[in-house]
């Protein structure tokens, strides 16, 4: 019985040594950093090298702190812009712990850090939104002037004022980032980025704003239609004027051509029938016959003198002789 006591004692001693080694050793991974505390006080600096490390067992405590970039996803916040338009802003940010000592002393854990980020970032976002018009928060760039068309400029006074864009959303976000980064740095936090994820109108005024937008666009559309109708009437009037001018010019040319043709025909006739007296008499006879054909009909009654030129060939005509029976 006594021979087994040394082996039991050795086993107990070995177990105690292993227990002390297990309690004294700790590992640090690539994505974390460690602060060792003793009775709540810091011991040394932060441990950032990955691998196996040691501490005083049962007295010192290991506090593991995330080394990777972390996400802050804020709750949607309702706030007014400078032009008194209520909007709901949903934002997010990226941050990391760059000073573990200050972080552990001030905040202790990630939950406290997120709560402090809620306060600081929420306050800075509200302050930045309140200093800018809605168009500044929505537009990302300043290289396009909204509604620059001349027609829309004319109706702008009746559909509301459009503010020029001087900064844009990117610079507003940068303003929030710079102001908040200074405030969170005292907690050992490095702010990496701040972005507006979504911007919506307040539900209570969204319908009214949409109706106003529709009304504004309807006014612009009516202006375009009115100017289009005016241009159409102007074009139609010009077309009728041009058509009348063309027809008048064509009629004038036709009459000129007909006159020239008649003159030429008369000249040809004169040349043909003035060769001798027989030709002249034939021409006179043919023209008189044409006149008879145009003047006389079955029910025509004329009263002519015996020396009338029109009666000249009628009185020379003799009635047909009757044949004896």
């Amino acid at each position: 019985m006594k021979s087994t006591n040394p082996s039991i004692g050795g086993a107990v001693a070995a177990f105690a040594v292993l227990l002390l080694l297990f309690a004294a050793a700790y590992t640090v991974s690539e994505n974390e950093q460690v602060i060792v505390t003793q009775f709540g006080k810091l011991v040394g600096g932060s441990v950032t090298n990955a691998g196996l490390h040691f501490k005083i067992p049962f007295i010192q405590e290991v506090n593991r702190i995330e080394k990777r970039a972390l996400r802050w996803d804020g709750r949607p916040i309702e706030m007014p812009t400078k032009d008194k338009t209520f909007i709901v802003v949903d934002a997010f940010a990226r941050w990391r712990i760059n000073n573990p000592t200050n972080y552990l002393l001030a905040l202790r854990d990630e939950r406290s850090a997120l709560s402090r980020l809620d306060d600081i970032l929420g306050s800075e976002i509200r302050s930045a939104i309140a200093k800018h018009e809605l168009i500044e928060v929505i537009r990302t760039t300043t290289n396009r002037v909204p509604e620059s068309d001349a027609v829309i400029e004319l109706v702008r006074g009746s559909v509301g004022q459009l503010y020029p864009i001087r900064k844009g959303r990117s610079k507003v976000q940068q303003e929030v980032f710079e102001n908040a980064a200074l405030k969170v740095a005292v907690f050992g936090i490095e702010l990496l980025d701040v972005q507006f994820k979504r911007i919506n109108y307040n539900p209570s005024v969204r319908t009214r704003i949409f109706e106003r937008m529709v009304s504004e666009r309807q006014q612009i559309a009516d202006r375009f239609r009115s100017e289009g109708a005016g241009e159409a009437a102007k074009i139609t009037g010009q077309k009728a004027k041009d058509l009348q001018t063309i027809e008048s010019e064509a009629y004038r040319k036709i009459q000129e051509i007909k006159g020239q043709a008649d003159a030429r025909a008369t000249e040809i006739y004169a040349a043909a029938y003035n060769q001798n007296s027989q030709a002249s008499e034939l021409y006179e006879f043919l023209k008189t016959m044409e006149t008879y054909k145009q003047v006389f009909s079955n029910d025509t009654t004329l009263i002519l003198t015996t020396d009338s030129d029109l009666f000249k060939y009628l009185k020379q005509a003799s009635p047909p002789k009757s044949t004896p029976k």
Side-chain angles (χ1 to χ4, degrees):
M1 193 71 182
K2 291 182 179 181
S3 62
T4 60
N5 288 336
S7 61
I8 296 174
V12 172
F15 178 76
V17 171
L18 290 175
L19 183 62
L20 289 174
L21 288 175
F22 183 77
Y26 65 93
T27 59
V28 179
S29 67
E30 293 287 348
N31 57 12
E32 65 181 3
Q33 48 196 338
V34 169
I35 294 290
V36 179
T37 59
Q38 181 174 325
F39 303 115
K41 296 182 180 180
L42 301 181
V43 178
S46 60
V47 180
T48 58
N49 296 326
L52 182 64
H53 299 271
F54 296 93
K55 63 180 178 65
I56 299 175
F58 308 114
I59 296 177
Q60 294 181 343
E61 181 181 357
V62 174
N63 299 274
R64 301 181 183 277
I65 299 174
E66 186 66 56
K67 187 189 293 186
R68 295 171 296 184
L70 300 172
R71 175 187 176 92
W72 173 82
D73 196 353
R75 296 185 304 273
I77 307 173
E78 182 179 336
M79 60 194 73
T81 62
K82 185 178 180 181
D83 49 348
K84 306 305 179 184
T85 302
F86 280 85
I87 58 176
V88 178
V89 180
D90 189 1
F92 71 94
R94 295 290 185 270
W95 61 283
R96 67 184 175 193
I97 302 166
N98 65 341
N99 191 329
T101 301
N102 291 351
Y103 175 82
L104 187 64
L105 291 175
L107 303 173
R108 303 297 297 181
D109 55 23
E110 186 176 333
R111 182 177 180 181
S112 299
L114 290 175
S115 177
R116 191 56 59 92
L117 287 172
D118 284 340
D119 297 337
I120 295 174
L121 289 175
S123 175
E124 291 300 328
I125 291 173
R126 281 190 293 269
S127 176
I129 295 297
K131 291 189 296 185
H132 299 89
E133 285 80 12
L134 177 63
I135 190 67
E136 296 278 2
V137 183
I138 295 177
R139 287 289 301 162
T140 56
T141 58
T142 61
N143 59 354
R144 183 176 69 87
V145 178
E147 313 295 2
S148 58
D149 189 89
V151 176
I152 299 178
E153 289 288 342
L154 294 175
V155 300
R156 178 176 292 182
S158 62
V159 298
Q161 182 179 5
L162 296 174
Y163 297 96
I165 303 172
R166 297 185 177 89
K167 288 188 175 181
R169 187 174 67 193
S170 299
K171 291 187 177 181
V172 175
Q173 292 174 159
Q174 184 65 24
E175 180 181 330
V176 174
F177 169 77
E178 293 175 355
N179 293 337
L182 296 175
K183 295 182 179 180
V184 300
V186 297
F187 303 108
I189 294 176
E190 179 187 4
L191 195 61
L192 302 177
D193 189 24
V194 177
Q195 296 287 333
F196 297 151
K197 181 167 59 176
R198 182 178 299 167
I199 299 175
N200 285 330
Y201 286 116
N202 182 296
S204 62
V205 300
R206 187 179 304 169
T207 302
R208 178 173 55 83
I209 292 175
F210 288 165
E211 290 176 352
R212 187 184 67 182
M213 293 170 63
V214 172
S215 176
E216 292 173 357
R217 296 301 162 182
Q218 187 64 42
Q219 292 183 45
I220 296 172
D222 291 342
R223 183 60 180 266
F224 278 122
R225 292 192 188 98
S226 176
E227 292 197 351
E231 288 296 324
K234 186 186 298 184
I235 293 172
T236 303
Q238 185 65 36
K239 182 191 73 172
K241 179 180 178 182
D242 293 344
L243 182 60
Q244 184 177 6
T245 302
I246 293 171
E247 290 177 348
S248 299
E249 184 67 19
Y251 180 76
R252 183 184 65 80
K253 289 184 178 180
I254 290 172
Q255 296 302 315
E256 288 181 356
I257 293 172
K258 288 177 66 176
Q260 293 174 0
D262 291 342
R264 181 59 179 162
T266 303
E267 183 180 344
I268 293 173
Y269 282 130
Y273 291 109
N274 286 333
Q275 295 180 3
N276 49 53
S277 59
Q278 291 82 3
S280 299
E281 291 178 0
L282 176 62
Y283 176 73
E284 182 180 359
F285 175 75
L286 292 176
K287 298 303 290 183
T288 303
M289 293 300 104
E290 290 180 2
T291 304
Y292 288 165
K293 188 175 182 179
Q294 294 177 359
V295 172
F296 297 151
S297 63
N298 294 332
D299 56 351
T300 301
T301 301
L302 292 178
I303 300 176
L304 301 174
T305 62
T306 56
D307 58 349
S308 172
D309 292 336
L310 187 60
F311 189 65
K312 177 179 179 180
Y313 293 102
L314 293 178
K315 67 183 179 179
Q316 292 179 2
S318 59
K321 296 180 178 181
S322 57
T323 55
K325 295 182 180 180

